[in-house]
């Protein structure tokens, strides 16, 4: 066995990255990851999306674009503002197979469950359109009720502008003091130049769950051409989206968790059902320590319906 290679795969699968600028090959030949800032936990996955995926998403999104809004901190709705001048739209989670596959890939990369993510948002920036520097983290109570606060963001580029449109992190200086080839807006701060198919991952929360100041970011004005991006906002726990299949799974998970906590004859079986309902497994599930082969406790008609609808197989 090639120990070095095995170790490399292990490190990748744990989502660990070391030195700044270090590149790790992934299993897909053309893809590789780059640590842009290890302390701030900002990473780029080059060629995260294929060209076909980018084109497909743009085509599907185009007819549904509307002027983008910013989050209203009073009521959680959306309001038009000069801070953000792009056009955008949201997809439902798992809206089709392509979207579902991308969401699963995002979940694998970020080590977060699909159901903690909001629906994918597509943005189109034409000349002079931009999004001023902001945090994705919420400072108000209203917006952090659903799923808790935002934990991380992945920004994917579906098309690059001919000039401008960089994603800039104004709280982090440019690595060598200056980004010579970038537009003025992105010259002196850490910035990423959009490239079709690339994706940036950054974290709105630090390890103690507080705001990661360095996650402040903005979209520089497009100077020439058109830029398209796609955002996945990821929360700390389940993000409710009006009753989609992940909401139903989470409802069932919560019910089973309560049964499991209450204990009783079916506790072990309930635990195994729990592990299957959730779209990711806890450490205990993976270790299989509590799986015992006893009868599971999914006996209500509604539970069976939810489980069948979500194609979950129970192990008892
Ligand atoms: O499109 C970009 O480069 C930035 C988008 C953004 O800041 C956001 O969606 O929060």
């Amino acid at each position: 066995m090639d120990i070095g290679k095995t170790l490399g795969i292990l490190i990748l699968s744990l989502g660990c990255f070391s030195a700044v600028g270090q590149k790790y090959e992934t299993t897909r030949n053309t893809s590789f990851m780059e640590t842009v800032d290890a302390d701030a936990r900002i990473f780029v996955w080059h060629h995260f999306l294929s060209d076909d995926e980018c084109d497909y998403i743009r085509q599907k999104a185009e007819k549904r674009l509307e002027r983008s809004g910013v989050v209203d901190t009073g009521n959680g709705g959306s309001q038009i503002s000069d801070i953000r001048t792009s056009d955008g739209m949201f997809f439902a989670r798992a809206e089709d197979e392509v979207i579902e596959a991308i969401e699963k890939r995002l979940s694998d990369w970020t080590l977060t469950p699909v159901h903690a993510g909001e629906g994918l948002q597509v943005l189109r920036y034409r000349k002079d359109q931009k999004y001023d520097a902001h945090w994705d983290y919420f400072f108000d109570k209203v917006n952090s009720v659903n799923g808790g606060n935002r934990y991380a963001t992945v920004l994917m580029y579906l098309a690059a502008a001919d000039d401008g449109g960089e994603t800039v992190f104004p709280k982090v200086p440019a690595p060598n003091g200056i980004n010579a080839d970038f537009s003025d807006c992105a010259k002196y701060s850490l910035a990423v130049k959009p490239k079709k198919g690339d994706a940036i991952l950054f974290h709105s929360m630090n390890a103690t769950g507080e705001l990661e100041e360095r996650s402040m970011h903005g979209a520089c004005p497009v100077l020439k051409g058109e830029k398209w991006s796609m955002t996945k906002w990821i929360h700390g726990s389940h993000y409710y989206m009006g009753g989609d299949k992940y909401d139903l799974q989470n409802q069932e998970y919560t019910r089973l968790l309560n049964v499991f906590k209450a204990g009783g004859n079916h506790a072990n079986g309930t635990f195994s059902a729990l592990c299957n309902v959730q779209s990711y497994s806890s450490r205990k599930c993976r270790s299989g320590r509590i799986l015992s082969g006893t009868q599971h406790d999914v006996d209500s008609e509604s539970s069976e319906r939810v489980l069948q609808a979500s194609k979950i197989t129970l192990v008892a």
Side-chain angles (χ1 to χ4, degrees), residues 262-294:
N265 290 341
H266 298 317
N268 282 338
T270 305
F271 184 83
S272 87
L274 265 175
C275 293
N276 282 278
V277 170
Q278 194 60 294
S279 58
Y280 69 105
S281 328
S282 72
R283 199 147 51 89
K284 275 183 188 166
C285 290
R286 286 197 301 273
S287 75
R289 268 185 296 131
I290 307 186
L291 303 180
S292 72
T294 55

Side-chain angles (χ1 to χ4, degrees), residues 8-9 12 17 23-34 44-48 109:
I9 291 167
L12 244 189
F17 308 87
K23 296 177 173 74
Y24 292 101
E25 293 290 329
T26 65
T27 46
R28 292 195 294 160
N29 286 343
T30 55
S31 299
F32 61 96
M33 289 198 222
E34 185 181 352
V44 172
W45 184 332
H46 297 268
H47 307 293
F48 178 79
W109 182 21

Side-chain angles (χ1 to χ4, degrees), residues 84 121 123 125 131-132 134-136 150 153 155-157 165-168 194 200 202 217-220 227-231 233:
R84 187 184 207 192
Q121 183 190 44
L123 298 167
Y125 299 86
Y131 191 177
D132 290 343
H134 61 282
W135 284 291
D136 289 345
R150 284 175 176 159
T153 301
L155 269 178
M156 292 151 273
Y157 299 117
E166 299 92 343
T167 301
V168 62
I200 317 176
F202 58 88
H217 63 283
C220 290
K227 166 188 157 187
W228 287 70
S229 64
M230 178 159 73
T231 312
W233 287 301

